[in-house]
Amino acid sequence: MLISNTPKSFKDRWRTPVDVFKTLDAEFGFKLDVAADESNALCKEFLTEQQDALRCDWNSDGAIFCNPPYSKIMPWVKKAAEQYRRQNQTIVMLLPSDTSTAWFQEAIKTSHEARFITEGRLSFISAETGKEGKAGNSKGSVLFIWRPWRRLGCRMTYVQRKKLLKRA
């Protein structure tokens, strides 16, 4: 088991690699980042911890991006399943690839696509240092995508890590 040395105050604040976000943004056109703060927001519009994205609507005029705190993923998955319909917007959530969890099963039941990132792990940006984590992520990653115009039924796809790291 890998033990993290990240201080507790920074543990849930790892930032999505900018190149990965740019590649996804070129595909989806994100307008709102719902799990962010001033130091790690990737969209002009974002919801902070103080705004409490789990208690408010994710009002957006375009696609919504979410790299939630990994310590409590289930509430974020349930919120995405509610908000894609309410907002009539695509939601893309970046999560660890852990098929053994209840939140993963919930995401499979409510999303339209699970896009597994293959051939390597993402190196997230430390909130403490502002640099890529040296050891990389302890798990692979998956993108869950909720689309308002699709029927339920999650299809499994994949994308190579190197394709996400190319600038859009």
Side-chain angles (χ1 to χ4, degrees):
M1 183 167 136
L2 190 63
I3 304 289
S4 172
N5 293 323
T6 305
K8 191 173 183 176
S9 62
F10 294 106
K11 226 178 217 358
D12 276 338
R13 300 186 184 283
W14 288 83
R15 183 182 194 185
T16 304
V18 175
D19 287 346
V20 170
F21 178 81
K22 285 181 178 181
T23 300
L24 293 171
D25 188 37
E27 178 180 354
F28 294 102
F30 296 120
K31 298 293 184 187
L32 178 66
D33 185 343
V34 295
D37 61 37
E38 293 281 339
S39 67
N40 69 10
L42 293 165
C43 294
K44 187 176 176 182
E45 300 290 325
F46 58 94
L47 296 177
T48 65
E49 192 173 357
Q50 292 73 29
Q51 291 168 305
D52 196 350
L54 294 175
R55 293 185 186 259
C56 69
D57 279 339
W58 296 355
N59 296 320
S60 179
D61 63 351
I64 299 164
F65 178 74
C66 184
N67 177 6
Y70 285 5
S71 64
K72 279 196 165 186
I73 295 173
M74 181 66 90
W76 292 90
V77 168
K78 287 183 174 184
K79 187 71 173 188
E82 166 199 297
Q83 289 295 304
Y84 88 89
R85 283 188 225 98
R86 184 171 287 168
Q87 303 307 321
N88 199 32
Q89 298 295 342
T90 296
I91 298 175
V92 178
M93 190 174 290
L94 177 59
L95 294 171
S97 182
D98 189 349
T99 61
S100 67
T101 62
W103 63 257
F104 193 96
Q105 296 311 309
E106 182 70 19
I108 291 286
K109 286 191 310 192
T110 62
S111 69
H112 301 96
E113 182 180 351
R115 189 179 300 176
F116 292 89
I117 299 169
T118 63
E119 297 183 23
R121 295 178 180 167
L122 298 179
S123 292
F124 290 83
I125 310 302
S126 168
E128 181 181 23
T129 65
K131 297 182 175 157
E132 273 189 11
K134 290 185 181 184
N137 197 358
S138 63
K139 289 187 168 88
S141 298
V142 61
L143 297 160
F144 278 102
I145 304 165
W146 288 264
R147 292 183 174 96
W149 63 86
R150 299 249 344 244
R151 288 182 188 220
L152 271 184
C154 187
R155 70 183 186 137
M156 308 287 176
T157 63
Y158 72 93
V159 61
Q160 294 170 319
R161 179 182 164 271
K162 65 184 175 190
K163 289 191 177 176
L164 283 176
L165 294 173
K166 288 184 179 179
R167 289 199 182 256

